[in-house]
Amino acid sequence: MKPLIHILGNGNVAQVLAVQLTNSGYSIQSVYARKKENANEIQTLTGAVVTDKISDIEKMQGIVFFALSDTATAEFCKRIKFKKDVLAVHTSGTLPDNLLAECSADYAVFYPFQSIHKTDEGNPFKGIPVGIYASKEESYQLLSNIAFSLSAEAFEITEKQRKVLHLSGVLSNNFTTFLINEAAQLLKINDLNPNLIAPLIKKTLNIPDFTKKQLPQTGPAIRNDKEIIREHLKLLEKDHNLSEVYEMLTKSIRLRIKDNSSQL
């Protein structure tokens, strides 16, 4: 028999988790939102009851997913004390493993390592890694089964490992997204089609097996082509922020080359 599930939050992770769990045969009993109208879409897609009352949270049974911002999760943990035995689970990449121990004796972490959006097509959990920590072995198995039902790949992770994994996501996804958007905007303001960079990006992101090799680094920084670097900085002289980013990344690439050479 599948456990009853409640979700706190109405953002991207909350909605996608609720919908995909429903599609996998789980019953979403209720969803908490600060404003009930903010969870109307989740209610329509899952049939869950929506509440905006803290007192309703304390009565929940089964599994309660805290799919909130880190600040809100920490705040709620101090305000509530579950009246029934529940498995309290947060989905953060950075909060402590035992944060929810204040509100439940049975607590865990269910960290989907992916950038998840409500507008994603299909099942955003399919094939993605989900890091799990649980205070009890049976809770770990329960969450592993949920990850399996979502077609995700569950693995056990420590608090430190999860924080490092989150950092790697910021470096590889958040910063990369910023750079791609800046590159597209640079083309646009110079009367070039921003889609011109699409084939290059696709080739760049043709990910190898990182346990065997890294992505090949190319460009003027790796060659230490100072003339081209100066020319690029001249083109960016009106964009102080992007110019600083260019110089910092160029310097970082050069330093990494020196570090790698010294280890040979």
Side-chain angles (χ1 to χ4, degrees), residues 15-129:
Q15 179 161 317
V16 172
L17 182 60
V19 170
Q20 295 307 320
L21 284 172
T22 299
N23 292 344
S24 298
Y26 289 88
S27 175
I28 308 301
Q29 296 295 292
S30 65
V31 173
Y32 169 86
R34 291 184 188 275
K35 295 182 179 180
K36 292 177 70 173
E37 59 269 24
N38 291 342
N40 285 343
E41 188 174 2
I42 300 180
Q43 184 177 40
T44 300
L45 294 170
T46 67
V49 173
V50 177
T51 182
D52 57 1
K53 295 181 174 61
I54 298 294
S55 58
D56 287 338
I57 297 176
E58 295 178 328
K59 299 174 185 176
M60 292 176 177
Q61 301 179 51
I63 301 177
V64 180
F65 282 98
F66 286 66
L68 303 157
S69 69
D70 285 3
T71 301
T73 297
E75 174 192 328
F76 268 70
C77 185
K78 295 176 182 178
R79 295 175 62 189
I80 63 176
K81 182 70 176 179
F82 290 108
K83 296 178 180 178
K84 301 287 184 179
D85 290 334
V86 304
L87 171 55
V89 186
H90 77 65
T91 59
S92 168
T94 58
L95 291 175
D97 283 343
N98 63 352
L99 178 75
L100 300 182
E102 292 186 42
C103 54
S104 177
D106 194 2
Y107 54 90
V109 179
F110 187 89
Y111 176 50
F113 187 57
Q114 182 58 279
S115 179
I116 293 175
H117 301 278
K118 297 177 183 179
T119 56
D120 290 340
E121 296 181 357
N123 175 12
F125 282 94
K126 186 175 182 179
I128 72 167

Side-chain angles (χ1 to χ4, degrees), residues 83-201:
K83 296 178 180 178
K84 301 287 184 179
D85 290 334
V86 304
L87 171 55
V89 186
H90 77 65
T91 59
S92 168
T94 58
L95 291 175
D97 283 343
N98 63 352
L99 178 75
L100 300 182
E102 292 186 42
C103 54
S104 177
D106 194 2
Y107 54 90
V109 179
F110 187 89
Y111 176 50
F113 187 57
Q114 182 58 279
S115 179
I116 293 175
H117 301 278
K118 297 177 183 179
T119 56
D120 290 340
E121 296 181 357
N123 175 12
F125 282 94
K126 186 175 182 179
I128 72 167
V130 174
I132 297 175
Y133 163 82
S135 59
K136 299 179 180 180
E137 177 60 29
E138 55 267 34
S139 296
Y140 177 83
Q141 292 301 324
L142 187 60
L143 291 175
S144 294
N145 291 339
I146 288 176
F148 179 79
S149 297
L150 293 170
S151 299
E153 298 180 8
F155 67 102
E156 191 169 5
I157 193 169
T158 67
E159 182 176 318
K160 181 179 179 180
Q161 288 173 329
R162 177 166 47 85
K163 290 181 177 181
V164 171
L165 184 61
H166 183 267
L167 172 58
S168 75
V170 171
L171 291 172
S172 62
N173 177 262
N174 302 155
F175 289 169
T176 301
T177 298
F178 168 78
L179 291 172
I180 290 173
N181 287 338
E182 288 295 309
Q185 182 64 16
L186 183 64
L187 292 177
K188 194 172 182 179
I189 63 177
N190 284 280
D191 299 320
L192 287 164
N193 186 338
N195 288 328
L196 287 170
I197 60 172
L200 177 62
I201 293 169

Side-chain angles (χ1 to χ4, degrees), residues 203-208 210 213-218:
K203 182 175 181 180
T204 301
L205 298 181
N206 183 18
I207 307 299
F210 285 115
K213 65 177 182 178
Q214 294 182 321
L215 288 171
Q217 183 74 58
T218 61

Side-chain angles (χ1 to χ4, degrees), residues 197-246:
I197 60 172
L200 177 62
I201 293 169
K202 288 178 181 178
K203 182 175 181 180
T204 301
L205 298 181
N206 183 18
I207 307 299
D209 181 347
F210 285 115
T211 62
K212 297 179 180 178
K213 65 177 182 178
Q214 294 182 321
L215 288 171
Q217 183 74 58
T218 61
I222 197 88
R223 300 191 304 269
N224 198 25
D225 194 327
K226 295 179 181 179
E227 185 175 344
I228 290 180
I229 291 171
R230 281 194 295 269
E231 181 66 24
H232 285 172
L233 289 172
K234 186 177 180 180
L235 289 169
L236 293 172
E237 61 186 358
K238 292 183 179 180
D239 190 332
H240 181 68
N241 181 52
L242 194 55
S243 177
E244 283 192 340
V245 171
Y246 185 101

